[in-house]
């Protein structure tokens, strides 16, 4: 029963409250080693056939000597099916119609050979050995039933393995496509951020504020070194994301000074939770553009993170004008901010997340994100 090779895929494990220090045991598929699976099924199948035929013969009143032809029958069937497995494996590589025709002819020839040998073996139970028409017809019926059933099982298992292999390939391609999309979404942020920051540095240079321009360049270098060190599809801890935001706000603080008032409220229990890198930076940038920039006295930007059971709740809000005027459809100037975050959350968590935009009760604009508490990289196949 030769079958196409099927690579093993580790069983997906659900991220939880325990770090992934010790790998979970992975169940190895039975058909991972097709050769071992074939010999196991072949031995188990014909052993079971021998036992059933032997029990049936003894229960019908036959002597133990009658078991000898049954043993011969099982051995002959075992050998014939070995030959069939080799021929079927060759026929499967041919075109469909020739393969089917050769399979039918081979099965018919195998049934005839099996029936003749079976009838001849059982003829020794009588005083006159030989093959009679009645005995041959009975043996043909048994041979056809056994070999046709074995052939059906052979092709069914191989079809199952082919389907499983194709599913594995599709899942692998989906994971690759998901990773590529995550990288694309992540890389969308850098050009937009760099444009704004370099524009600010250029303004400082034109105003001959070289010390402030040098300081901003130094902080920009630190920010880029920190962010570019991570893979675009990597997940970082809440603590690392907050450090990134603080680096970014230090750069913006050079522009707005006291008009920009950041405030962080981070639950220590949630600091080890993971989320896509630079997920919150567009929200803070959005708040700076729509809350700090248009107001003479600036605004406060509040970033809050808390752990609620198995969920991490993240909020980014400001004390700006809120949802009015031109801010009815909040987004970054390049149009990638809010949409980018939605896509990245969908890619990372599938439906297992919440993303809401709302007006704050005391005025201003807020975004709330809820994601599962995870200490390791999420399983993107599940997502």
């Amino acid at each position: 029963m030769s079958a196409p090779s099927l690579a093993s895929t580790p069983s997906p494990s659900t991220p939880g409250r325990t770090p992934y220090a010790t790998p979970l045991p992975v169940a190895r598929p039975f058909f991972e080693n097709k050769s071992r699976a074939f010999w196991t099924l072949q031995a188990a199948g014909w052993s079971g056939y021998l036992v059933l035929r032997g029990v049936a013969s003894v229960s019908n009143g036959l002597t133990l000597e009658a078991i000898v032809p049954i043993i011969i029958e099982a051995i002959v069937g075992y050998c014939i099916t070995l030959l069939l497995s080799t021929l079927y494996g060759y026929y499967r590589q041919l075109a469909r119609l020739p393969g089917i025709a050769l399979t039918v002819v081979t099965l018919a020839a195998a049934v005839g050979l099996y029936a003749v040998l079976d009838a001849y073996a059982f003829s020794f139970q009588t005083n006159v050995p030989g093959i009679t028409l009645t005995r041959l017809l009975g043996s043909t019926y048994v041979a056809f039933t056994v070999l046709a059933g074995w052939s059906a099982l052979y092709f069914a298992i191989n079809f199952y393995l082919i389907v499983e292999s194709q599913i594995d390939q599709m899942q692998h391609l989906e994971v690759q496509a998901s990773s590529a999309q995550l990288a694309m979404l992540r890389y969308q942020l850098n050009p937009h951020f760099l444009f704004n920051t370099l524009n600010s540095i250029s303004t400082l240079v034109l105003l001959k504020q070289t010390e402030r321009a040098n300081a901003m360049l130094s902080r920009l270098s630190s920010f880029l070194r920190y962010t570019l060190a991570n893979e675009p599809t990597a997940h970082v801890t809440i603590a690392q994301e907050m450090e990134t935001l603080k680096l970014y706000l230090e750069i913006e603080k050079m522009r707005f000074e006291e008009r920009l008032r950041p405030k962080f409220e981070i639950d220590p229990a949630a600091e080890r939770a993971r989320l896509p890198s630079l997920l919150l930076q567009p929200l803070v940038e959005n708040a700076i553009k729509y809350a700090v920039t248009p107001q003479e006295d600036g605004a406060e930007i509040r970033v809050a993170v808390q752990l609620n059971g198995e969920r991490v709740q993240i909020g980014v809000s400001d004390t700006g004008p809120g949802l009015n005027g031109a801010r009815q459809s909040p987004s970054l100037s390049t149009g990638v901010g809010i949409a980018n975050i939605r896509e990245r959350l969908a890619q990372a968590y599938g439906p297992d997340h919440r993303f809401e935009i709302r007006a704050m009760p005391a005025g201003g604009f807020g975004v709330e994100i809820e994601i599962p508490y995870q200490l390791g990289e999420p399983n993107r196949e599940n997502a």
Side-chain angles (χ1 to χ4, degrees), residues 204-205 207-216:
L204 291 175
V205 172
L207 296 175
K208 297 184 178 181
Q209 299 182 18
T210 55
E211 291 186 3
R212 296 184 63 194
N214 287 333
M216 185 175 285

Side-chain angles (χ1 to χ4, degrees), residues 7 42 46 58 66 70 95 98 113 127 132 157 182 222 242 247 276 344 351 356-357:
Q42 184 80 342
W46 283 106
V58 173
I70 295 176
L113 176 62
N127 295 327
T132 63
I157 291 176
L182 283 172
S222 299
M242 294 305 108
L247 283 173
R344 295 184 70 193
E356 294 182 358
I357 300 173

Side-chain angles (χ1 to χ4, degrees), residues 118-383:
D118 185 44
Y120 186 74
F122 274 93
S123 69
F124 283 95
Q125 293 183 359
T126 63
N127 295 327
V128 183
I131 300 177
T132 63
L133 179 61
T134 302
R135 184 175 293 129
L136 181 61
L137 290 177
S139 296
T140 301
Y141 173 77
V142 173
F144 176 78
T145 302
V146 173
L147 295 184
W150 185 94
S151 300
L153 184 61
Y154 169 89
F155 286 108
I157 291 176
N158 278 277
F159 179 76
Y160 164 78
L161 292 176
I162 292 173
V163 171
E164 285 293 309
S165 177
Q166 293 176 346
I167 291 175
D168 286 347
Q169 292 176 3
M170 290 179 61
Q171 289 177 344
H172 180 66
L173 293 175
E174 288 175 358
V175 170
Q176 287 184 328
S178 177
S179 298
Q181 186 171 1
L182 283 172
M184 178 195 68
L185 293 171
R186 168 66 171 76
Y187 282 135
Q188 280 182 340
L189 302 179
N190 287 341
H192 179 268
F193 164 71
L194 286 174
F195 173 81
N196 288 343
T197 305
L198 292 176
N199 186 57
S200 298
I201 294 174
S202 176
T203 302
L204 291 175
V205 172
L206 289 175
L207 296 175
K208 297 184 178 181
Q209 299 182 18
T210 55
E211 291 186 3
R212 296 184 63 194
N214 287 333
M216 185 175 285
L217 277 173
S218 176
R219 292 175 182 178
L220 175 62
S221 175
S222 299
F223 178 80
L224 292 179
R225 186 182 303 111
Y226 185 89
T227 56
L228 295 177
N230 293 322
E231 293 291 331
T233 60
H235 285 219
V236 298
T237 64
I238 293 290
Q240 291 173 320
E241 182 75 357
M242 294 305 108
E243 289 299 320
T244 307
L245 284 181
K246 290 176 182 178
L247 283 173
Y248 169 73
L249 287 170
E250 286 179 1
I251 297 172
E252 296 294 348
K253 192 80 170 174
M254 298 291 296
R255 295 172 54 199
F256 298 100
E257 297 181 341
E258 298 302 321
R259 294 174 59 202
L260 173 59
R261 300 183 294 276
K263 183 179 181 181
F264 290 86
E265 298 177 2
I266 311 300
D267 183 358
E271 288 186 344
R272 296 175 61 199
R274 288 185 172 267
L275 76 169
S277 64
L278 285 184
L279 181 72
L280 305 181
Q281 187 267 344
L283 297 178
V284 175
E285 186 174 357
N286 217 30
I288 291 175
K289 176 181 179 181
Y290 290 107
V292 178
T293 302
Q295 298 188 121
E296 185 176 349
D297 59 346
E300 177 184 283
I301 299 178
R302 177 175 175 267
V303 180
V305 180
Q306 64 178 1
L307 182 63
N308 185 4
E310 294 292 332
R311 312 292 291 180
V312 178
Q313 296 174 338
I314 305 170
V316 178
S317 60
D318 59 61
T319 57
L323 293 173
N324 55 31
R327 198 176 176 180
Q328 290 297 327
S329 300
S331 64
L332 300 183
S333 60
T334 57
V336 302
I338 299 298
N340 184 290
I341 296 173
R342 289 186 187 276
E343 285 293 325
R344 295 184 70 193
L345 287 172
Q347 287 289 326
Y349 304 105
D352 191 19
H353 75 277
R354 179 172 62 88
F355 182 86
E356 294 182 358
I357 300 173
R358 64 186 181 91
M360 304 302 294
F365 177 78
V367 174
E368 291 186 355
I369 299 173
E370 184 178 279
I371 58 177
Y373 180 89
Q374 295 175 334
L375 298 180
E377 291 284 338
N379 189 297
R380 295 194 179 97
E381 289 185 22
N382 292 343

Side-chain angles (χ1 to χ4, degrees), residues 86-104:
T86 302
L87 295 175
Y88 286 168
Y90 172 74
Y91 296 159
R92 285 170 43 231
Q93 301 175 8
L94 304 178
R96 178 171 298 180
L97 291 180
I100 293 175
L102 287 173
T103 299
V104 172

